Amino acid sequence: MGFPNQRLRRLRQNENIRRLVRETDLSVNDLIMPLFVRPGKGVKQMIPSMPGNYQMSVDKLVEEVKILEGHGIPGIILFGIPDKKDEMGSDAYADEGIIQQAIIAIKKTVKNILVITDVCLCEYTDHGHCGFVRRDDRTGNFEVDNDMTLELLVKEAVSHAKAGADIVAPSDMMDGRVGAIRDALDEGGFHHIPIMAYSAKYASGFYGPFREAAESTPGFGDRSSYQMDPHNVTEALREVSLDIGEGADIVMVKPALAYLDIIRIIKDTFDYPVAAYNVSGEFSVVKAAAEKGWIDEKRVALEILTGIKRAGADMILTYWAKDAAQWLKK
């Protein structure tokens, strides 16, 4: 049958019909809000390149998490800006580290939201790289030492679990880190703590605003020797396969918008819980265009988030989580 028997516009003619035949539904249940915590008291410092997002002291962070809980958002992910940085990133795994303090404070006050913690060293090292760096004094070249870094990441993940984290999320892209963290969590009695692995994390140009927010810009070189080449697809499948084999409970694709094909392929190949990180650059370009009046932020943001969900993501880490939760209620 052809025209006029097949008129696809019949099912588009009003909102109620469109709702009935809608194939993808974006929900508050899909959203995870990234938050940045720093030392101090009463601090809520705007991040210039990410309007509406802040570096917050623990007391202000707890207030914000209460608001997010009230909007029905199921989870947050925490990033820390420490009091001091050193080559070993020691504040990342200190009992009194900024993330550990934040977890404890949130858990005392907020009862119905998941606390996910980013497990990486880039925010805590004085050089800004995601692991322990070895330098060759003769050539000036540097190398991130994979296996030495694993020892530090394990300490960080276990310290987060001890403080009360619900999920740990290693984002460093070191080989073998999921297995090392899983073994350490199990040995420490934390069998119940899931791992959300940044499995396909690409060396992307979309991370710029985040590096301002987390104060984690590399002091030299870049992260191309450990984050993935944006040109590669099958490598992402290998990374995900390895992480699942090592015990990851959720796998992540980061960024999201330029990698919707990767999200879809991973979901179809593994049929595993998939997270997608709608990263800072993806957020900030929309904010900037909306501020100039070029686009409707709400409409575009919800379209982007729906596209990520349609590609196969089960959950979306996004700086629009708070706004989207309110938009979706209306």
Side-chain angles (χ1 to χ4, degrees):
M1 289 189 298
F3 181 82
N5 292 318
Q6 289 291 316
R7 291 180 179 265
L8 298 185
R9 287 182 58 194
R10 291 179 187 135
L11 300 182
R12 302 174 193 157
Q13 60 186 301
N14 62 59
E15 177 60 15
N16 284 332
I17 290 178
R18 291 193 293 270
R19 285 171 59 200
L20 286 172
V21 299
R22 189 160 288 156
E23 299 172 30
T24 304
D25 278 311
L26 181 70
S27 161
V28 66
N29 299 328
D30 303 320
L31 306 175
I32 297 168
M33 182 73 185
L35 296 171
F36 300 90
V37 58
R38 67 171 306 123
K41 189 170 183 180
V43 177
K44 190 173 182 180
Q45 183 173 309
M46 175 75 83
I47 301 164
S49 60
M50 297 172 63
N53 289 266
Y54 303 86
Q55 293 179 344
M56 291 174 280
S57 54
V58 171
D59 55 324
K60 290 295 183 181
L61 179 80
V62 171
E63 292 176 9
E64 183 67 12
V65 175
K66 286 181 186 176
I67 293 170
L68 296 172
E69 179 191 38
H71 289 311
I73 292 170
I76 59 168
I77 184 166
L78 296 178
F79 298 91
I81 298 99
D83 218 0
K84 64 181 186 306
K85 302 189 180 197
D86 57 42
E87 65 175 358
M88 301 296 287
S90 58
D91 204 64
Y93 41 87
D95 290 341
E96 298 297 320
I98 189 63
I99 289 293
Q100 291 79 355
Q101 293 178 45
I103 298 166
I104 292 167
I106 292 167
K107 287 297 181 180
K108 282 181 179 177
T109 309
V110 188
K111 304 302 179 186
N112 195 31
I113 199 164
L114 290 169
V115 177
I116 307 165
T117 59
D118 179 76
V119 176
C120 194
L121 298 177
C122 62
E123 298 125 80
Y124 306 94
T125 54
D126 54 13
H127 46 70
H129 280 282
C130 299
F132 177 71
V133 170
R134 295 191 185 278
R135 293 183 181 87
D136 187 325
D137 292 334
R138 294 172 302 170
T139 64
N141 294 334
F142 76 94
E143 178 190 4
V144 175
D145 187 316
N146 190 95
D147 295 2
M148 179 62 187
T149 300
L150 295 187
E151 297 178 21
L152 305 180
L153 295 170
V154 162
K155 292 169 67 174
E156 183 179 7
V158 171
S159 74
H160 291 178
K162 286 180 178 177
D166 297 297
I167 300 174
V168 295
S171 64
D172 53 283
M173 289 300 287
M174 298 297 118
D175 292 333
R177 90 271 203 218
V178 172
I181 290 170
R182 182 74 272 160
D183 288 346
L185 289 173
D186 290 352
E187 289 169 10
F190 299 107
H191 306 83
H192 61 290
I193 300 294
I195 295 175
M196 175 191 286
Y198 288 64
S199 298
K201 181 178 180 181
Y202 286 85
S204 170
F206 282 102
Y207 301 149
F210 173 90
R211 290 175 181 171
E212 177 189 16
E215 299 181 8
S216 62
T217 302
F220 52 87
D222 59 30
R223 295 176 178 149
S224 299
S225 68
Y226 44 101
Q227 294 178 357
M228 283 185 55
D229 186 333
H231 302 83
N232 294 352
V233 177
T234 56
E235 184 184 0
L237 297 178
R238 293 169 64 196
E239 287 279 11
V240 169
S241 179
L242 286 168
D243 284 357
I244 291 172
E246 291 176 20
D249 301 280
I250 301 165
V251 295
M252 189 193 299
V253 177
K254 181 182 181 184
L257 270 185
Y259 301 88
L260 295 175
D261 59 325
I262 307 299
I263 296 170
R264 180 78 268 162
I265 291 168
I266 287 171
K267 189 63 181 177
D268 288 346
T269 302
F270 298 99
D271 194 20
Y272 214 71
V274 176
Y277 202 140
N278 174 216
V279 299
S280 60
E282 298 168 349
F283 170 84
S284 294
V285 294
V286 174
K287 277 285 189 182
E291 286 177 0
K292 288 185 174 292
W294 294 343
I295 58 173
D296 179 332
E297 180 189 354
K298 173 184 172 182
R299 182 175 180 180
V300 170
L302 291 177
E303 187 175 344
I304 286 170
L305 296 175
T306 300
I308 296 168
K309 180 79 182 291
R310 192 178 63 245
D314 299 289
M315 60 206 80
I316 305 170
L317 292 76
T318 177
Y319 301 98
W320 276 303
K322 183 179 178 180
D323 289 336
Q326 297 172 82
W327 293 333
L328 291 167
K329 282 181 183 178
K330 298 176 182 177

